[in-house]
Amino acid sequence: MACLRQGVAGRPPLSPHSTLRSCRQLISAHAIHEPRCPMLPFESFSYPFFDLNFSADHAAVVSAFLSTPDTATTGLTALYVHIPFCDTICSFCPFVKSVGTAERIGVYLDALHVELRTVGAMRRIQGWELDAVYIGGGTPSVLSEDQIGALIGAIRSNFALKVDAEISFEFEAKSMDDSKFATLAGLGVTRVSFGVQSFDPSTRDMVRVTASLDQVHASIAGATKHFKNTNLDMMVGFPGQDVEAALLDARLAGTSGIGSVSIYPVDYVMTLPAWQDRIRTGDLPRPAVLDERSRMFHSARQELMRHMSEQNMYCFGAASAPPTRYMFATLYGGYRDECVGVGAGAYSFIRGLAFYNEADERAYVARAATGVQPIARSSPGHAYEKGLVFFPKRLTFDMRDLEELSLAGVYADRIAKVVDNGLAEITGETLRLTEPGKLVYSELMAHFFSDSQRRLYDRMVARLSQQVGVIDAQEWVAGEDRVRGMGAFNALPGASTRRLALAPTSN
């Protein structure tokens, strides 16, 4: 099942044959020399990237922007709500979270309710009718049923939701029971999801996923009892994991009775520095090199396709359990698709401006509770090419956007290269990733970066290199032969300039 934003009604069809012909003409007239580049070391990014050189009163920028109504044709709109508390902390998880006390959780929720009122009252947001709400974390299920009810009530009071809006709620197996599932269903939640990561007890112990497998299976039973759209998350490429282990995990997930499975490669650049340091010092097994982890991921995908239908690069399941609309139709959607985030560390991506909140819980509460937007940073810009960048994750792209968003002159040749190399094909008005293209999906995302965003990405990678370092020098050369002739010339700079053994930063 495809996760595409629906095309704008009334748009004239664009002939794929004439578009591809013009692509080839551009290539013939303007040959592009593409340097050899290593494979992308990580791909779990949002787009556009933040320009950290933009200096401003960021709260004032965001306030002025959101105070201005937008009358342009819109795509999908979504709200993300962040709950930064967990029962226990998984050792690899990079998200904003902590083990909270009852008092801290209460104070945080009070501030969050104020922020919901503040953001919901902004004129631009008042023009939205939400297609999706995602309550994530952290672990939202650590909240009591009364707290969850009050939170969803505050969302409904301050934002307009479409009749068929998806409301997705993340939970953790240890903090769920049948009563809480029933409460969520009664509150109008339409989708529940939780992280299993692996069914292997030794791997779960290594990464401190502390729920028992009995609790996992009880959660699957409880979720499927009360909801049609149920999901569990898996990860591939943990330290010490091999292809056989990845296949077994995928088989167990695909036959678990859950409605859908989302599976992601472990992204070592984005994991906690302290966890990386344990790998460097030998406290944890050294992970397989990048190409081997890529093979694990794609082998696991093939195994899942034996039990479920492919929905996009990461998601597999039944038509009744499609991937979350918040992530795969909005956050990873096209230029017109917008999402706003509330809570500590929450990100927002709106046409013309990206921004994120204070991540520190105390700083967030101090500002949000007074009705001041707790903005940490903003970055203006229009990423018209966003749909192409995320096309490899979603597997399809609406070719009419080339003309609609004036992208053809810049991107026709890049699309032609992908098609000519057999990595995608054009059927009607749809650009579709092929099976060979799926094997290089992360490089394909870089292939569609704009020049300005490529520069920001390179700067971001350099900063991560200094702050975090990398696990293995092979990370930066693995896969080079595979992408050399493909056209992913926007990938990362060479490995030789990178520092490999820097001390980790504090959390």
Side-chain angles (χ1 to χ4, degrees):
M1 175 176 179
C3 263
L4 266 177
R5 171 190 52 77
Q6 297 299 310
V8 176
R11 285 198 297 184
L14 179 67
S15 166
H17 303 293
S18 63
T19 299
L20 190 53
R21 188 160 51 249
S22 67
C23 291
R24 292 185 174 126
Q25 290 170 350
L26 277 171
I27 291 175
S28 175
H30 305 284
I32 297 177
H33 172 69
E34 294 167 1
R36 294 168 57 183
C37 298
M39 182 179 177
L40 286 177
F42 72 101
E43 44 75 23
S44 57
F45 52 74
S46 298
Y47 192 90
F49 306 117
F50 280 81
D51 186 350
L52 298 182
N53 287 327
F54 177 62
S55 180
D57 181 340
H58 296 291
V61 169
V62 173
S63 179
F65 186 84
L66 294 183
S67 296
T68 303
D70 179 23
T71 57
T73 302
T74 60
L76 299 179
T77 56
L79 169 70
Y80 175 77
V81 181
H82 189 66
I83 306 298
F85 303 107
C86 299
D87 284 325
T88 56
I89 304 299
C90 301
S91 59
F92 65 91
C93 178
F95 299 113
V96 176
K97 80 285 177 194
S98 65
V99 177
T101 64
E103 180 181 3
R104 280 175 49 211
I105 292 173
V107 170
Y108 178 85
L109 289 175
D110 288 342
L112 183 64
H113 283 223
V114 175
E115 191 190 7
L116 285 167
R117 290 197 296 272
T118 302
V119 174
M122 305 302 284
R123 293 184 68 191
R124 187 182 185 107
I125 304 303
Q126 286 184 328
W128 287 12
E129 194 175 16
L130 295 177
D131 295 274
V133 175
Y134 195 97
I135 304 172
T139 311
S141 57
V142 301
L143 304 184
S144 70
E145 292 180 28
D146 286 344
Q147 288 172 329
I148 294 170
L151 176 60
I152 293 178
I155 293 169
R156 292 186 182 278
S157 295
N158 292 288
F159 295 83
L161 276 65
K162 289 185 177 176
V163 173
D164 65 343
E166 172 194 273
I167 302 178
S168 191
F169 189 93
E170 285 188 343
F171 70 90
E172 206 275 337
K174 297 193 306 296
S175 53
M176 288 300 292
D177 55 28
D178 191 74
S179 175
K180 194 169 283 189
F181 279 124
T183 294
L184 291 174
L187 290 168
V189 170
T190 63
R191 178 183 181 274
V192 291
S193 177
F194 75 119
V196 173
Q197 319 310 355
S198 174
F199 285 94
D200 176 60
S202 61
T203 300
R204 293 173 65 81
D205 288 343
M206 178 179 62
V207 298
R208 292 181 58 192
V209 179
T210 56
S212 70
L213 290 178
D214 285 344
Q215 289 173 317
V216 168
H217 290 295
S219 288
I220 293 172
T224 55
K225 173 183 174 182
H226 292 280
F227 296 91
K228 290 182 179 179
N229 193 346
T230 61
N231 177 76
L232 63 81
D233 291 338
M234 301 290 290
M235 299 185 75
V236 174
F238 284 116
Q241 194 174 39
D242 57 19
V243 171
E244 289 71 23
L247 286 172
L248 178 58
D249 264 348
R251 188 176 310 121
L252 292 172
T255 59
S256 66
I258 200 74
S260 66
V261 174
S262 302
I263 189 164
Y264 305 94
V266 177
D267 211 338
Y268 282 89
V269 174
M270 301 302 287
T271 55
L272 289 178
W275 197 62
Q276 292 194 12
D277 197 45
R278 292 183 64 196
I279 296 171
R280 293 191 188 95
T281 60
D283 186 40
L284 292 177
R286 184 168 290 274
V289 296
L290 185 58
D291 262 6
E292 181 65 12
R293 299 203 308 274
S294 177
R295 189 164 77 91
M296 290 183 211
F297 173 65
H298 290 288
S299 296
R301 292 186 80 255
Q302 292 299 315
E303 177 62 29
L304 280 170
M305 279 190 275
R306 294 182 59 227
H307 310 285
M308 294 177 159
S309 297
E310 180 186 50
Q311 297 171 329
N312 58 41
M313 180 54 60
Y314 301 128
C315 302
F316 303 81
S320 60
T324 168
R325 194 181 301 168
Y326 158 73
M327 180 178 291
F328 290 103
T330 312
L331 185 63
Y332 292 160
Y335 166 69
R336 303 175 189 83
D337 304 313
E338 303 174 287
C339 54
V340 67
V342 296
Y347 280 66
S348 300
F349 293 89
I350 301 177
R351 284 178 292 124
L353 189 70
F355 53 94
Y356 59 87
N357 281 355
E358 293 279 1
D360 179 81
E361 180 187 331
R362 288 174 296 182
Y364 166 80
V365 167
R367 297 182 65 182
T370 64
V372 175
Q373 286 188 269
I375 305 301
R377 184 168 292 278
S378 63
S379 181
H382 289 271
Y384 296 101
E385 69 286 352
K386 176 185 167 190
L388 277 169
V389 170
F390 288 131
F391 142 67
K393 290 191 176 188
R394 292 171 52 160
L395 305 183
T396 56
F397 172 74
D398 189 336
M399 289 288 285
R400 292 174 295 177
D401 270 355
L402 291 181
E403 296 296 335
E404 187 77 16
L405 298 175
S406 301
L407 294 170
V410 177
Y411 284 101
D413 58 336
R414 301 192 199 183
I415 292 173
K417 290 185 179 186
V418 171
V419 173
D420 287 344
N421 279 277
L423 304 175
E425 58 189 11
I426 298 174
T427 305
E429 295 169 336
T430 302
L431 178 69
R432 188 175 304 277
L433 204 62
T434 62
E435 291 302 316
K438 293 173 187 177
L439 298 178
V440 291
Y441 77 98
S442 71
E443 297 98 314
L444 280 171
M445 289 192 292
H447 181 61
F448 292 112
F449 287 171
S450 70
D451 289 344
S452 61
Q453 290 295 310
R454 180 185 64 203
R455 286 192 291 272
L456 294 177
Y457 185 72
D458 289 346
R459 291 174 66 90
M460 178 176 66
V461 169
R463 188 174 69 256
L464 285 170
S465 176
Q466 294 172 354
Q467 293 175 350
V468 179
V470 295
I471 299 297
D472 193 324
Q474 293 181 73
E475 295 287 299
W476 302 96
V477 295
E480 184 174 4
D481 290 340
R482 187 167 67 230
V483 302
R484 186 177 302 153
M486 186 271 293
F489 59 89
N490 292 321
L492 302 180
S496 61
T497 61
R498 298 181 58 83
R499 301 169 63 186
L500 303 178
L502 295 179
T505 58
S506 59
N507 297 342

mmCIF file of all heavy atoms in Angstrom, residues 475-494:
data_model
loop_
_atom_site.group_PDB
_atom_site.id
_atom_site.type_symbol
_atom_site.label_atom_id
_atom_site.label_comp_id
_atom_site.label_asym_id
_atom_site.label_seq_id
_atom_site.Cartn_x
_atom_site.Cartn_y
_atom_site.Cartn_z
ATOM 1 N N GLU A 475 33.042 2.401 7.565
ATOM 2 C CA GLU A 475 31.745 3.035 7.352
ATOM 3 C C GLU A 475 31.788 3.992 6.162
ATOM 4 O O GLU A 475 30.795 4.188 5.471
ATOM 5 C CB GLU A 475 31.341 3.844 8.587
ATOM 6 C CG GLU A 475 31.088 3.034 9.834
ATOM 7 C CD GLU A 475 29.791 2.269 9.752
ATOM 8 O OE1 GLU A 475 28.739 2.904 9.618
ATOM 9 O OE2 GLU A 475 29.844 1.043 9.810
ATOM 10 N N TRP A 476 32.936 4.612 5.920
ATOM 11 C CA TRP A 476 32.995 5.719 4.977
ATOM 12 C C TRP A 476 33.446 5.288 3.582
ATOM 13 O O TRP A 476 33.466 6.104 2.678
ATOM 14 C CB TRP A 476 33.927 6.793 5.535
ATOM 15 C CG TRP A 476 33.425 7.231 6.870
ATOM 16 C CD1 TRP A 476 33.830 6.787 8.084
ATOM 17 C CD2 TRP A 476 32.362 8.128 7.107
ATOM 18 N NE1 TRP A 476 33.082 7.372 9.072
ATOM 19 C CE2 TRP A 476 32.184 8.200 8.505
ATOM 20 C CE3 TRP A 476 31.534 8.900 6.280
ATOM 21 C CZ2 TRP A 476 31.211 9.005 9.079
ATOM 22 C CZ3 TRP A 476 30.586 9.693 6.867
ATOM 23 C CH2 TRP A 476 30.428 9.744 8.250
ATOM 24 N N VAL A 477 33.832 4.040 3.426
ATOM 25 C CA VAL A 477 34.213 3.559 2.100
ATOM 26 C C VAL A 477 33.324 2.420 1.629
ATOM 27 O O VAL A 477 33.261 2.127 0.445
ATOM 28 C CB VAL A 477 35.686 3.109 2.068
ATOM 29 C CG1 VAL A 477 36.598 4.286 2.317
ATOM 30 C CG2 VAL A 477 35.961 2.011 3.086
ATOM 31 N N ALA A 478 32.617 1.756 2.556
ATOM 32 C CA ALA A 478 31.724 0.673 2.156
ATOM 33 C C ALA A 478 30.658 1.209 1.211
ATOM 34 O O ALA A 478 30.074 2.259 1.432
ATOM 35 C CB ALA A 478 31.067 0.055 3.385
ATOM 36 N N GLY A 479 30.429 0.481 0.128
ATOM 37 C CA GLY A 479 29.388 0.877 -0.810
ATOM 38 C C GLY A 479 29.837 1.855 -1.874
ATOM 39 O O GLY A 479 29.058 2.234 -2.737
ATOM 40 N N GLU A 480 31.117 2.256 -1.880
ATOM 41 C CA GLU A 480 31.558 3.271 -2.837
ATOM 42 C C GLU A 480 31.407 2.781 -4.276
ATOM 43 O O GLU A 480 30.932 3.514 -5.147
ATOM 44 C CB GLU A 480 33.006 3.645 -2.557
ATOM 45 C CG GLU A 480 33.532 4.772 -3.453
ATOM 46 C CD GLU A 480 34.921 5.207 -3.033
ATOM 47 O OE1 GLU A 480 35.487 4.600 -2.112
ATOM 48 O OE2 GLU A 480 35.434 6.150 -3.641
ATOM 49 N N ASP A 481 31.799 1.534 -4.537
ATOM 50 C CA ASP A 481 31.698 1.014 -5.900
ATOM 51 C C ASP A 481 30.255 1.001 -6.378
ATOM 52 O O ASP A 481 29.968 1.228 -7.548
ATOM 53 C CB ASP A 481 32.274 -0.406 -5.969
ATOM 54 C CG ASP A 481 33.797 -0.413 -5.798
ATOM 55 O OD1 ASP A 481 34.405 0.653 -6.004
ATOM 56 O OD2 ASP A 481 34.340 -1.475 -5.463
ATOM 57 N N ARG A 482 29.347 0.739 -5.464
ATOM 58 C CA ARG A 482 27.950 0.608 -5.833
ATOM 59 C C ARG A 482 27.361 1.931 -6.309
ATOM 60 O O ARG A 482 26.477 1.956 -7.160
ATOM 61 C CB ARG A 482 27.161 0.085 -4.633
ATOM 62 C CG ARG A 482 25.728 -0.252 -4.968
ATOM 63 C CD ARG A 482 25.069 -1.057 -3.866
ATOM 64 N NE ARG A 482 24.898 -0.288 -2.647
ATOM 65 C CZ ARG A 482 25.280 -0.706 -1.434
ATOM 66 N NH1 ARG A 482 25.861 -1.862 -1.291
ATOM 67 N NH2 ARG A 482 25.082 0.043 -0.375
ATOM 68 N N VAL A 483 27.819 3.044 -5.763
ATOM 69 C CA VAL A 483 27.201 4.326 -6.088
ATOM 70 C C VAL A 483 28.019 5.141 -7.070
ATOM 71 O O VAL A 483 27.576 6.195 -7.508
ATOM 72 C CB VAL A 483 26.996 5.176 -4.810
ATOM 73 C CG1 VAL A 483 26.148 4.432 -3.814
ATOM 74 C CG2 VAL A 483 28.318 5.588 -4.192
ATOM 75 N N ARG A 484 29.193 4.645 -7.477
ATOM 76 C CA ARG A 484 30.100 5.478 -8.266
ATOM 77 C C ARG A 484 29.451 5.987 -9.541
ATOM 78 O O ARG A 484 29.570 7.151 -9.894
ATOM 79 C CB ARG A 484 31.358 4.669 -8.593
ATOM 80 C CG ARG A 484 32.437 5.486 -9.294
ATOM 81 C CD ARG A 484 33.670 4.622 -9.512
ATOM 82 N NE ARG A 484 34.150 4.127 -8.230
ATOM 83 C CZ ARG A 484 34.827 2.985 -8.090
ATOM 84 N NH1 ARG A 484 35.049 2.214 -9.130
ATOM 85 N NH2 ARG A 484 35.258 2.608 -6.906
ATOM 86 N N GLY A 485 28.745 5.123 -10.273
ATOM 87 C CA GLY A 485 28.168 5.538 -11.533
ATOM 88 C C GLY A 485 26.705 5.901 -11.450
ATOM 89 O O GLY A 485 26.060 6.106 -12.472
ATOM 90 N N MET A 486 26.186 5.968 -10.250
ATOM 91 C CA MET A 486 24.742 6.122 -10.088
ATOM 92 C C MET A 486 24.300 7.580 -10.100
ATOM 93 O O MET A 486 23.207 7.909 -10.508
ATOM 94 C CB MET A 486 24.313 5.434 -8.778
ATOM 95 C CG MET A 486 22.818 5.389 -8.527
ATOM 96 S SD MET A 486 22.230 6.821 -7.661
ATOM 97 C CE MET A 486 23.016 6.609 -6.085
ATOM 98 N N GLY A 487 25.161 8.470 -9.649
ATOM 99 C CA GLY A 487 24.793 9.870 -9.667
ATOM 100 C C GLY A 487 24.517 10.462 -8.311
ATOM 101 O O GLY A 487 23.993 11.554 -8.206
ATOM 102 N N ALA A 488 24.848 9.756 -7.236
ATOM 103 C CA ALA A 488 24.611 10.310 -5.898
ATOM 104 C C ALA A 488 25.779 11.210 -5.524
ATOM 105 O O ALA A 488 26.519 10.966 -4.594
ATOM 106 C CB ALA A 488 24.451 9.190 -4.875
ATOM 107 N N PHE A 489 25.948 12.283 -6.286
ATOM 108 C CA PHE A 489 27.128 13.122 -6.109
ATOM 109 C C PHE A 489 27.000 14.055 -4.920
ATOM 110 O O PHE A 489 27.900 14.814 -4.628
ATOM 111 C CB PHE A 489 27.397 13.930 -7.385
ATOM 112 C CG PHE A 489 26.264 14.819 -7.788
ATOM 113 C CD1 PHE A 489 26.170 16.111 -7.321
ATOM 114 C CD2 PHE A 489 25.296 14.347 -8.651
ATOM 115 C CE1 PHE A 489 25.124 16.924 -7.696
ATOM 116 C CE2 PHE A 489 24.240 15.171 -9.028
ATOM 117 C CZ PHE A 489 24.153 16.455 -8.567
ATOM 118 N N ASN A 490 25.866 14.021 -4.249
ATOM 119 C CA ASN A 490 25.673 14.907 -3.100
ATOM 120 C C ASN A 490 25.975 14.226 -1.781
ATOM 121 O O ASN A 490 25.595 14.713 -0.728
ATOM 122 C CB ASN A 490 24.223 15.402 -3.066
ATOM 123 C CG ASN A 490 23.924 16.324 -4.213
ATOM 124 O OD1 ASN A 490 24.768 17.125 -4.578
ATOM 125 N ND2 ASN A 490 22.757 16.198 -4.800
ATOM 126 N N ALA A 491 26.623 13.063 -1.811
ATOM 127 C CA ALA A 491 26.879 12.330 -0.573
ATOM 128 C C ALA A 491 27.994 12.995 0.221
ATOM 129 O O ALA A 491 28.336 14.143 0.000
ATOM 130 C CB ALA A 491 27.197 10.886 -0.885
ATOM 131 N N LEU A 492 28.578 12.270 1.139
ATOM 132 C CA LEU A 492 29.464 12.878 2.124
ATOM 133 C C LEU A 492 30.887 13.040 1.637
ATOM 134 O O LEU A 492 31.318 12.354 0.709
ATOM 135 C CB LEU A 492 29.467 11.997 3.383
ATOM 136 C CG LEU A 492 28.099 11.790 4.005
ATOM 137 C CD1 LEU A 492 28.227 10.916 5.229
ATOM 138 C CD2 LEU A 492 27.488 13.115 4.370
ATOM 139 N N PRO A 493 31.665 13.919 2.256
ATOM 140 C CA PRO A 493 33.069 14.061 1.896
ATOM 141 C C PRO A 493 33.857 12.820 2.268
ATOM 142 O O PRO A 493 33.389 11.968 2.998
ATOM 143 C CB PRO A 493 33.526 15.280 2.720
ATOM 144 C CG PRO A 493 32.572 15.331 3.851
ATOM 145 C CD PRO A 493 31.258 14.843 3.309
ATOM 146 N N GLY A 494 35.079 12.729 1.747
ATOM 147 C CA GLY A 494 35.880 11.521 1.912
ATOM 148 C C GLY A 494 36.207 11.186 3.344
ATOM 149 O O GLY A 494 36.247 12.040 4.226
#
